[in-house]
Amino acid sequence: MKSSASIGDYLIEQLYSHGVRHVFGIPGDYVLGFYDQLAHSKLAVVNTCDEQGAGFAADAYARVRGLGAVCVTYCVGGLKVANTTAEAFAEKSPVVIISGAPGIGERERNPLLHHKVREFDTQKRVFEQLTVASTVLTDPQTAFQEIDRVLHAALRFKRPVYVELPRDLVDKPGIAGHKTPEVHEASDPQTLREALKEAAAMINAAKQPVILADVEVHRFGLQEDLLKLAQKTSIPVAATLLGKSVIGEQHPFYLGVYEGAMGRDDVRQYVESSDCVILLGAFMTDINLGVYTARLDPARSIYATSEKLSIRYHSYEEVRFKDFVRGLLAAKLRRRELKSAPRAEPLPAFVAVRGKNKITVKRLFQRLNSFLTDNTIVVTDVGDALFGAADLFIHRRTEFLGTAYYASMGFAVPASIGAQLANPKLRPLVLVGDGAFQMTGTELSTAVRYKLNPIVIVLNNDGYGTERHMQDGAYNDVLCWNYSRVPELLGAGRGMVIETEEQLDQALFVAERHTESFCLLDVRLDPLDRSPALQRLANRLAKKL
Ligand SMILES: Cc1ncc(C[n+]2csc(CCOP(=O)(O)OP(=O)(O)O)c2C)c(N)n1
Ligand SMILES: [Mg+2]
């Protein structure tokens, strides 16, 4: 690092060296100095319409690229990304939240500066709850080390971190000649060996082992290792909903999504009757595993995550997730016959019924399934968009983004912006309910501005369909917008109204060819129509009310 580097420059340099190329956000006076540094740097600034949009975009960017960043002003901007940071924490996405703040020199005698809530550190204290590490860069002597520390934590734990930049320090030089330490977090070799020995013995002795792969396989970039492990041993792989697309779904050993009683019954039976379930990077959450209906017995499980490793009832400390997965791949595991495990069959080929046949949720997903290509990234919002999408047949890896655990509405449209900027080869297929679209759909403006071309399917069922099935009332209605006329507002894009199967077919044909900007399909569904998966879930949730 140059001896003259300022605190802001060092932060930019470090983000760049970890693969970040875009920073999402909205400026404000407390962060203008840093925005100026960003504008003169190798990082591109992506202005969203609202900070929440920036937060979701950065989260998706991090999921696709390995690290994301959002940059906002003090409190009015920062507190708007509290929700998206909570999501990134809950679903393990390494996002760096950078917030401007009043200068240290301005804080004397505690004046009532604009945007301040209670104390100067109120925002920092909020973010301590939502991140895995946080810092306020108040001292040039320690600022570079602090940046190293929090970025390392984000990458180590795949969770968000918070960096606050007082505006009078961002231009100040840090310590000259600072060297960024290389951090290698190694497993304890003996413990790792013991753990692998026990795991290998258990797997080799098992009659019907199965791998249940979840989100951390994505986050730690272990998809290739997982694939090799399955190929080497012929042990079949099921994914959770959050982990969906962790493995190309056309592989012969891919079983499908395991979601307890919500998912396909053959997958559930196969996993639950296994005498050795190898859970890799799994979150034991309710929606992910079918609202606690999943029956997985620890006595028959190997449970490996970045935070914990247990084999049956034995716990192992100091074993890194990556080392364990790679160790399994190198271990002596016997190769098996690929037996009659259930297969994730693609949905049947779709032939549109000609004429006035009204489109249904089930038929919509069948049609979308045949629309997916190797370059599609499916980004789903909460609601039937997510549940219906569980049955889509994903072609390769890491091509399914959804907030299947934290489940905040408004994720999908802004997330598609982050996803496409993170990997421009992908074209997002956004699945979003009308309710969720009304929260963050304006971010299509950002898509237009940065020349992105998502295909947005609005599942328009006149309101909060998911909730109608649990308990209905006028509070579940939303105003019916002219969604297909959003392009007129934004001066770009194609909008289409879909009432029938035939129209859906035609619209997708147009959307495939219209690549210069976004397409929006307003799919008019019956308010009480729903996917089979939602039907099952709603029944279960209703019982718990
Ligand atoms: C930010 C946020 N607010 C409220 C909820 C509660 N909630 C869950 S599903 C849902 C309805 C979603 O409506 P829509 O986006 O139209 O999808 P649909 O259920 O109709 O498929 C609501 C309000 C939530 N998950 N997130
Ligand atoms: Mg709806």
Side-chain angles (χ1 to χ4, degrees), residues 433-436 459-466:
D434 49 347
L459 284 83
N460 180 359
N461 56 5
D462 291 329
Y464 305 144
T466 311

Side-chain angles (χ1 to χ4, degrees), residues 147-434:
I147 292 171
D148 295 343
R149 177 179 70 82
V150 296
L151 291 185
H152 177 244
L155 295 166
R156 158 80 173 83
F157 296 102
K158 310 294 178 198
R159 286 198 144 133
V161 294
Y162 175 78
V163 180
E164 187 173 306
L165 293 171
R167 65 172 158 185
D168 56 356
L169 278 168
V170 56
D171 279 333
K172 295 276 179 303
I175 288 219
H178 172 77
K179 279 214 169 59
T180 313
E182 295 241 344
V183 197
H184 293 294
E185 292 249 0
S187 303
D188 177 68
Q190 264 140 11
T191 317
L192 176 63
R193 210 174 309 131
E194 274 299 303
L196 286 168
K197 208 164 113 193
E198 183 176 0
M202 183 175 169
I203 296 168
N204 282 334
K207 284 202 188 66
Q208 189 187 302
V210 63
I211 297 169
L212 184 56
D214 200 349
V215 60
E216 282 196 339
V217 176
H218 286 293
R219 302 293 188 265
F220 287 86
L222 292 169
Q223 299 96 329
E224 199 59 38
D225 302 85
L226 171 68
L227 183 65
K228 284 193 192 137
L229 184 63
Q231 276 165 343
K232 177 180 145 177
T233 58
S234 296
I235 297 176
V237 179
T240 62
L241 192 50
L242 205 57
K244 185 172 165 69
S245 83
V246 70
I247 194 162
E249 302 192 351
Q250 77 283 12
H251 285 296
F253 36 73
Y254 178 67
L255 296 175
V257 175
Y258 172 76
E259 303 170 81
M262 200 170 88
R264 274 181 23 225
D265 215 41
D266 53 350
V267 180
R268 183 181 66 79
Q269 274 179 12
Y270 194 88
V271 173
E272 288 174 6
S273 64
S274 161
D275 50 349
C276 177
V277 184
I278 309 162
L279 290 126
L280 296 181
F283 274 145
M284 305 297 233
T285 75
D286 54 357
I287 291 187
N288 204 24
L289 292 183
V291 194
Y292 288 135
T293 55
R295 254 176 267 131
L296 295 173
D297 178 1
R300 291 183 280 119
S301 306
I302 295 174
Y303 183 40
T305 71
S306 64
E307 284 162 31
K308 150 182 178 104
L309 169 64
S310 57
I311 301 175
R312 296 196 185 94
Y313 290 104
H314 305 153
S315 286
Y316 293 87
E317 304 294 327
E318 298 306 318
V319 175
R320 300 280 162 260
F321 180 54
K322 214 172 198 167
D323 293 343
F324 183 73
V325 174
R326 299 227 160 116
L328 272 186
L329 188 55
K332 286 209 177 81
L333 295 178
R334 75 182 162 94
R335 194 186 163 79
R336 311 163 171 267
E337 295 293 307
L338 191 57
K339 284 192 308 202
S340 54
R343 289 266 294 123
E345 293 301 338
L347 295 176
F350 180 92
V351 184
V353 179
R354 300 284 149 210
K356 292 205 167 67
N357 209 322
K358 187 138 179 36
I359 187 70
T360 62
V361 177
K362 194 170 166 190
R363 293 287 284 168
L364 170 67
F365 280 99
Q366 265 183 32
R367 177 65 187 90
L368 291 176
N369 195 55
S370 54
F371 186 68
L372 303 182
T373 71
D374 277 358
N375 298 322
T376 312
I377 180 161
V378 177
V379 189
T380 69
D381 216 293
V382 179
D384 220 6
L386 177 67
F387 301 120
D391 290 332
L392 292 177
F393 199 78
I394 302 292
H395 284 228
R396 282 185 338 195
R397 297 185 306 244
T398 319
E399 292 183 330
F400 183 86
L401 294 185
T403 162
Y405 168 38
Y406 185 66
S408 174
M409 286 165 73
F411 171 73
V413 171
S416 76
I417 291 163
Q420 199 173 24
L421 286 169
N423 182 354
K425 289 198 194 104
L426 300 174
R427 186 168 193 197
L429 177 67
V430 178
L431 305 173
V432 56
D434 49 347

